[in-house]
Amino acid sequence: MKILVINCGSSSLKFQLIDSDTEQCVAKGLCERIGIEGSMITYSPAGGEKEKTVTPMANHTQAIQLVLNALTNEKTGVVKDLSEIGAVGHRIVHGGEKFSTSTIIDDEVMAAIEACNDLAPLHNPANLIGINACKELMPTTPMVAVFDTAFHQTMPEEAYLYGIPYEYYKKYKIRRYGFHGTSHAFVSKRAAEFLNVPYESLKTIVCHLGNGASISAVKNGQCIDTSMGLTPLEGLIMGTRSGDIDPAVIEFLANKEGMSVNDVLNVLNKKSGVLGLSDNLSSDFRDIEDGYFKGDENAVRAMKTFCYRVAKYIGAYAAAMNGVDVICFTAGVGENGPLVRSLVCEHLGYLGVTIDEEQNNKRGDDTVISTPDSRTKVMFIPTNEELAIARETYRLVK
Ligand code: ADP
């Protein structure tokens, strides 16, 4: 069965068509600037040429229509007609406490996703628009919602509650939810498979280090803690996000700089992280890495602070699980950044971690980067959120 995976943002839409039998991507692409002047669609069929077309897209329905046209195009398309697309899997950012697993989309599910809009005001409304647009154009095709938060719903209360009055949890559901769940689930399962150990008996720490970064503790096949919170601002230092800070900084900065709470949150979301720490050198780890090797003090500061925070969380999660068998790095930096992996692991001697730098400098598929006698295994595993969404979709509709 061919499964269309849709990741819909407010003005962009990423798509992949995946064959559930071979698990290969048949075609993929991106619609950008939806509803804005200069909209364009990029389309790459597997093994074919990538094409970019500037064309108006007034709304998401028009964008999805263009995606479907591209997929069924006589010359460059990959399916004869839409009946070949067996199901659509939608990435949904926030499922609140309602969704602990993926689910077939019906009216009730749509309403429940909408009820989580408050928790993810930038993402959930856009995700819903994507579902509605697909429903309009493919009314009989089954659709599945796969939530970023679902994998983390197994966290125990002591991990998800904040130390604030309990009434705010009861009234507003303020708590840790966690994100990147599809990736944390995919990578932790893959680690168990690769190591040939039952998933249910492994203690894994997954470091998803991309522009957005989060880390999770997966014990015996269940997530027991993760670093992102009510929103994706908490936890690790990221490309432009601060991660953990003293909440009192918000008022302090607002007073000193004459900013509103919104202004300060904008700083914490968009101007902080390695970008802010490097004194605006870059939010891109390739630049930070280059600068580090040249001895640029801004890059060194950003790199060391970033890695120290990751290492601190690994320590916390090793304690939370009473041990750790395998530490996995994934996402843009986790998969491609030997320097980050190496600097993080320098802090992990107490876990018996020793790194084989030759292995660490490799790129590509799942690779063990610790030495054979390392007490804790360390690996990098490329994540594949689209494939994970396609698998979930197939599981529910087959
Ligand atoms: P997101 O999906 O959160 O936008 P990604 O997982 O794509 O992010 O990761 C993007 C980050 O990965 C960027 O900071 C980029 O610099 C980094 N990255 C990509 N390739 C490399 C590389 N070869 N070395 C170091 N960092 C890399």
Side-chain angles (χ1 to χ4, degrees):
M1 180 192 294
K2 299 221 173 45
I3 292 172
L4 180 60
V5 175
I6 298 277
N7 182 354
C8 194
S10 57
S11 68
S12 71
L13 183 155
K14 287 189 215 153
F15 65 93
Q16 262 194 38
L17 190 69
I18 294 177
D19 186 322
S20 62
D21 298 329
T22 61
E23 298 209 323
Q24 294 300 309
C25 168
V26 185
K28 64 179 175 181
L30 167 71
C31 298
E32 291 168 277
R33 301 180 64 83
I34 300 168
I36 308 173
E37 208 174 311
S39 331
M40 61 184 132
I41 175 168
T42 311
Y43 171 73
S44 326
E49 297 255 318
K50 182 172 175 171
E51 48 184 70
K52 203 169 198 169
T53 317
V54 177
T55 175
M57 292 171 216
N59 53 46
H60 288 76
T61 308
Q62 287 185 11
I64 292 189
Q65 183 65 61
L66 288 166
V67 170
L68 300 179
N69 292 350
L71 292 171
T72 52
N73 182 286
E74 251 182 44
K75 281 197 193 120
T76 53
V78 286
V79 291
K80 277 204 200 72
D81 59 68
L82 293 184
S83 64
E84 279 188 51
I85 300 177
V88 183
H90 290 270
R91 179 197 180 192
I92 309 295
V93 168
H94 220 307
E97 287 188 330
K98 173 94 181 162
F99 297 105
S100 54
T101 183
S102 314
T103 181
I104 301 249
I105 297 174
D106 59 18
D107 289 345
E108 203 181 311
V109 168
M110 297 278 285
I113 295 172
E114 196 175 345
C116 298
N117 278 1
D118 256 7
L119 295 168
L122 296 178
H123 295 101
N124 271 32
N127 298 159
L128 280 166
I129 290 171
I131 299 176
N132 278 320
C134 285
K135 278 174 80 169
E136 207 177 315
L137 299 168
M138 315 162 83
T140 56
T141 310
M143 314 240 172
V144 169
V146 181
F147 299 91
D148 267 23
T149 47
F151 181 60
H152 304 302
Q153 275 297 306
T154 47
M155 281 188 287
E157 194 177 56
E158 68 256 35
Y160 71 67
L161 283 181
Y162 291 124
I164 59 174
Y166 191 60
E167 72 172 284
Y168 298 137
Y169 169 66
K170 285 192 289 188
K171 258 205 235 166
Y172 307 118
K173 295 284 174 216
I174 297 178
R175 50 161 285 179
R176 172 182 314 290
Y177 289 95
F179 299 88
H180 294 140
T182 312
S183 175
H184 287 287
F186 180 88
V187 170
S188 54
K189 280 179 195 149
R190 180 71 199 123
E193 209 176 273
F194 182 89
L195 299 170
N196 205 12
V197 178
Y199 190 43
E200 295 70 29
S201 69
L202 200 63
K203 294 173 181 172
T204 310
I205 293 177
V206 179
C207 309
H208 177 110
L209 312 178
N211 262 321
S214 68
I215 178 164
S216 66
V218 185
K219 186 179 182 184
N220 306 337
Q222 296 206 317
C223 176
I224 63 139
D225 207 345
T226 191
S227 60
M228 282 179 167
L230 176 74
T231 75
L233 182 56
E234 192 182 349
L236 300 178
I237 291 168
M238 314 184 202
T240 63
R241 281 175 244 164
S242 63
D244 300 336
I245 58 162
D246 179 345
V249 168
I250 296 175
E251 191 208 13
F252 189 90
L253 205 49
N255 287 341
K256 291 282 181 198
E257 295 272 323
M259 294 194 282
S260 66
V261 168
N262 248 344
D263 294 338
V264 178
L265 281 176
N266 196 43
V267 169
L268 297 180
N269 270 303
K270 303 209 169 122
K271 298 180 179 167
S272 300
V274 293
L275 174 69
L277 272 168
S278 67
D279 208 8
N280 294 319
L281 175 66
S282 178
S283 66
D284 191 303
F285 275 84
R286 279 164 288 203
D287 302 330
I288 301 293
E289 208 171 90
D290 281 352
Y292 180 92
F293 285 123
K294 288 181 189 138
D296 178 312
E297 62 178 283
N298 288 317
V300 172
R301 178 192 318 115
M303 183 58 95
K304 282 190 164 170
T305 315
F306 173 84
C307 293
Y308 176 74
R309 177 78 56 89
V310 176
K312 225 160 80 158
Y313 264 98
I314 291 175
Y317 288 171
M321 293 193 289
N322 193 18
V324 50
D325 300 311
V326 54
I327 298 168
C328 303
F329 289 91
T330 193
V333 189
E335 290 164 30
N336 302 300
L339 175 66
V340 165
R341 295 193 294 253
S342 183
L343 290 176
V344 168
C345 289
E346 274 181 15
H347 294 281
L348 307 181
Y350 69 99
L351 291 174
V353 166
T354 47
I355 294 300
D356 176 337
E357 282 304 336
E358 198 176 316
Q359 288 291 102
N360 187 33
N361 279 309
K362 287 191 174 160
R363 266 168 217 257
D365 256 355
D366 313 333
T367 302
V368 174
I369 62 168
S370 49
T371 57
D373 60 348
S374 180
R375 185 147 48 84
T376 306
K377 274 211 164 33
V378 185
M379 305 183 63
F380 65 80
I381 296 181
T383 193
N384 191 339
E385 287 167 283
E386 290 76 15
L387 175 57
I389 292 172
R391 280 181 183 164
E392 280 293 274
T393 304
Y394 182 67
R395 180 177 69 80
L396 287 167
V397 303
K398 75 178 177 212

